[in-house]
Amino acid sequence: MRLGAVVLTMGNRPEELRALLDSVAKQDGDPIEVVVVGNGSPLPELAVSGLTIRTVELPENVGIPAGRNVGIEAFGPGGRDVDVLLFLDDDGLLPNTDTAELCRQAFAADPALGIISFRIADPETGTTQRRHVPRLRAADPMRSSRVTTFLGGANAVRTEVFEQVGGLPDDFFYAHEETDLAWRALDAGWMIDYRSDMVLHHPATAPSRHAVYHRMVARNRVWLARRNLPAPLVPVYLGVWMLLTLARKPSGAALRAWFGGFREGWKTPCGPRRPMKWRTVWRLTRLGRPPVI
């Protein structure tokens, strides 16, 4: 099973990027071909022993999903030159050398498996933040399970998924693009696994560190619902998320940005609407996360 890897970088973490590439080169089994996408930034020299690295430099920052889509297409249409693509954060690190081999084994053993979400752990403490466990029951990050979404910078995707349902939604720029792809993949019959034994080391951070966080989260949440949910579920899903947002008592500035993004999500085009089948709604519910939360 042929593995490739897509690494997106803005060029501001060169030492971390080289450390990540070194960890990819040390993986057991056949070598992994890597594409590094410079998202609006020039790339440094990236020669790593034992690793074939191709680079793509974009003239401007096109956002996370569009940048990763460029990396996918570097492996041929829909990434078809390889069987599986790893997506890794440029400031992450694969601490174990068997992660790639575990991916090969998992996809080979389960033809319905489309996506694997890795466990993200802080390199200093070894802890996994609750938000990095892609399910509602997130108290035990060491428990692997079927899930309904995945983590953007720590995952592996069978390229047949891209060929069948398309890539990440370019216009999302940042936030919820993984869930959009996950819902489309699940609607097409694929499964998603969270694997606690496949680890990416990444410093613990808060998502709100990004200046656009609150606006993008709200706007893309609306786009996600408009694109993917059956019409009766759209107001339910968005109403639940509005109540949850208010319950978290964000600051006044954050709340204004959130409501601005929420309005923007309704007023701007969300891309093609392909509502999931009702049997997919039931499938998501049986997997522990009905698409209303």
Side-chain angles (χ1 to χ4, degrees):
M1 187 168 286
R2 299 165 300 168
L3 264 61
V6 174
V7 180
L8 188 66
T9 182
M10 293 183 66
N12 54 349
R13 296 187 281 236
E15 293 182 7
E16 292 90 339
L17 175 59
R18 287 192 179 90
L20 168 66
L21 295 175
D22 283 336
S23 73
V24 174
K26 293 174 183 175
Q27 291 298 300
D28 300 334
D30 293 336
I32 300 171
E33 186 176 348
V34 178
V35 168
V36 178
V37 179
N39 203 2
S41 66
L43 294 170
E45 180 64 35
L46 294 174
V48 175
S49 177
L51 205 61
T52 299
I53 302 174
R54 286 183 285 162
T55 59
V56 181
E57 294 184 356
L58 302 177
E60 61 180 355
N61 180 359
V62 297
I64 293 172
R68 287 184 176 142
N69 282 339
V70 169
I72 294 168
E73 295 301 306
F75 288 95
R80 67 185 181 192
D81 293 346
V82 292
D83 301 302
V84 172
L85 279 174
L86 311 181
F87 294 86
L88 305 170
D89 273 350
D90 66 342
D91 57 343
L93 184 83
L94 295 173
N96 303 323
T97 62
D98 64 349
T99 302
E101 198 61 26
L102 289 172
C103 282
R104 293 186 183 98
Q105 293 170 7
F107 284 113
D110 186 354
L113 180 61
I115 303 171
I116 298 174
S117 189
F118 301 166
R119 180 169 63 90
I120 294 179
D122 182 85
E124 299 295 329
T125 65
T127 59
T128 297
Q129 293 178 280
R130 188 180 181 90
R131 69 185 182 90
H132 284 152
V133 183
R135 60 178 178 240
L136 291 179
R137 295 180 178 178
D140 182 8
M142 299 307 294
R143 179 174 66 88
S144 300
S145 69
R146 295 283 200 197
V147 289
T148 62
T149 189
F150 63 98
L151 306 173
N155 67 81
V157 182
R158 195 190 295 266
T159 53
E160 286 181 55
V161 174
F162 298 125
E163 293 178 27
Q164 186 173 358
V165 306
L168 297 157
D170 284 353
D171 291 340
F172 277 43
F173 196 85
Y174 163 78
H176 303 319
E177 66 272 9
E178 301 91 358
T179 300
D180 186 89
L181 176 61
W183 282 1
R184 284 183 280 129
L186 288 162
D187 197 46
W190 296 101
M191 299 302 293
I192 305 170
D193 278 358
Y194 165 72
R195 289 282 298 264
S196 64
D197 56 338
M198 300 183 191
V199 182
L200 181 89
H201 275 174
H202 187 282
T205 56
S208 55
R209 70 190 185 280
H210 299 289
V212 296
Y213 171 76
H214 296 287
R215 171 179 154 253
M216 291 291 189
V217 162
R219 184 198 69 180
N220 292 359
R221 184 80 70 184
V222 177
W223 281 358
L224 179 69
R226 290 175 59 197
R227 285 164 58 93
N228 295 288
L229 290 181
L233 294 185
V234 173
V236 179
Y237 177 79
L238 295 176
V240 167
W241 277 106
M242 182 178 290
L243 291 174
L244 285 173
T245 299
L246 294 173
R248 290 167 178 164
K249 298 180 180 179
S251 68
L255 200 57
R256 285 191 296 273
W258 193 93
F259 275 107
F262 192 83
R263 287 191 297 270
E264 184 182 350
W266 285 108
K267 291 180 178 179
T268 53
C270 64
R273 173 168 165 75
R274 299 187 182 95
M276 67 177 65
K277 307 173 190 72
W278 282 104
R279 68 170 176 264
T280 305
V281 174
W282 175 238
R283 190 180 184 197
L284 289 163
T285 303
R286 286 190 292 111
L287 286 169
R289 190 157 197 161
V292 293
I293 188 169

